[in-house]
Amino acid sequence: IRTPEKVIHADPSIHFIIAGKGHEEKRIAKMITDLKLNANVHMLGFRDDIVDVMQSLDVFLITSATEGLGTIVLEAFAAGVPVVATRAGGIPEMVEDGITGLLASIGDAEALAAATRGILNQPDVGRQLSHNASQKVQAFSYQLTAEYTLMIYRAETQFTFILRCTYSPSHRKKLRALVIIIVTALSAQCSPATNAVHLAGSPLRFD
């Protein structure tokens, strides 16, 4: 809420919406009231039309202190909405600063507000970020995620057999972990746009 406060202070015509329900809802509502932001910050509660809500936005702002993959960011990408986010959890894997969105340090309300105002004041920048993000989101499709998972599973299974035949039990666990790390790193370098991961045959081929 400190970020919207700074943005609204600079331009009172800007409005923020918060969609969803959770254990922080009452605390956030109280903070909005205490900061006298009720006229500009609107809590929508649970919505089953989140796609329509997302597409109505000029900027998607996520200020998380902790985050997993942050799939809501992918939804913003798919909706064509420019993203401003913190460097929390897996968010930087999706939001490349200045390329697919804008990033700020966790808790840096000033930087988040500046990034938000920057996109609002320069629509062309927002459109370019959204365009780049629309390309990025393809790498996180369900199909490609399933392919990567299958690739790792196949490799781990094959190497488990080799380890059982070749190495002593004391070495197997570390070697298997190393195999998974290597395969994961290789999959991250694949180019989904060019179908660089081929799973139809064996061995796997990387173009």
Side-chain angles (χ1 to χ4, degrees), residues 157-177:
T157 302
Q158 292 169 359
F159 276 90
T160 295
F161 176 76
I162 294 172
L163 290 172
R164 285 176 179 169
C165 295
T166 310
Y167 295 95
S168 66
S170 62
H171 292 146
R172 291 173 189 166
K173 186 174 182 180
K174 289 183 179 179
L175 288 169
R176 188 180 300 118

Side-chain angles (χ1 to χ4, degrees), residues 1-195:
I1 300 302
R2 293 294 180 185
T3 299
E5 179 190 24
K6 293 179 182 300
V7 175
I8 293 165
H9 179 75
D11 185 349
S13 70
I14 296 173
H15 289 253
F16 288 79
I17 60 173
I18 301 173
K21 297 185 70 67
H23 66 279
E24 291 287 320
E25 190 173 1
K26 290 183 179 179
R27 187 182 70 84
I28 292 172
K30 183 178 184 303
M31 193 172 183
I32 292 170
T33 299
D34 291 345
L35 294 173
K36 298 179 173 57
L37 299 175
N38 298 79
N40 294 78
V41 181
H42 314 279
M43 298 187 70
L44 306 183
F46 174 79
R47 296 290 292 261
D48 58 7
D49 59 343
I50 197 63
V51 174
D52 293 333
V53 172
M54 190 80 75
Q55 291 177 338
S56 72
L57 303 178
D58 295 305
V59 179
F60 178 77
L61 174 65
I62 180 167
T63 61
S64 299
T66 59
E67 193 67 55
L69 176 61
T71 53
I72 189 66
V73 172
L74 299 179
E75 293 179 26
F77 282 1
V81 182
V83 173
V84 173
T86 53
R87 294 183 175 88
I91 289 177
E93 295 181 30
M94 299 170 288
V95 182
E96 300 175 74
D97 192 28
I99 300 176
T100 60
L102 298 179
L103 290 173
S105 298
I106 295 170
D108 192 342
E110 193 66 54
L112 288 165
T116 301
R117 292 196 306 270
I119 290 177
L120 292 173
N121 294 333
Q122 301 177 75
D124 288 346
V125 172
R127 281 190 286 271
Q128 184 60 55
L129 293 173
S130 296
H131 173 74
N132 296 341
S134 68
Q135 306 301 311
K136 178 81 171 182
V137 75
Q138 295 178 22
F140 291 88
S141 69
Y142 291 120
Q143 179 181 353
L144 287 171
T145 300
E147 288 179 353
Y148 291 162
T149 302
L150 178 59
M151 179 179 67
I152 293 170
Y153 174 79
R154 283 181 173 174
E156 199 275 341
T157 302
Q158 292 169 359
F159 276 90
T160 295
F161 176 76
I162 294 172
L163 290 172
R164 285 176 179 169
C165 295
T166 310
Y167 295 95
S168 66
S170 62
H171 292 146
R172 291 173 189 166
K173 186 174 182 180
K174 289 183 179 179
L175 288 169
R176 188 180 300 118
L178 177 61
V179 167
I180 293 174
I181 291 171
I182 291 173
V183 173
T184 303
L186 285 172
S187 69
Q189 297 174 21
C190 298
S191 173
T194 57
N195 294 319

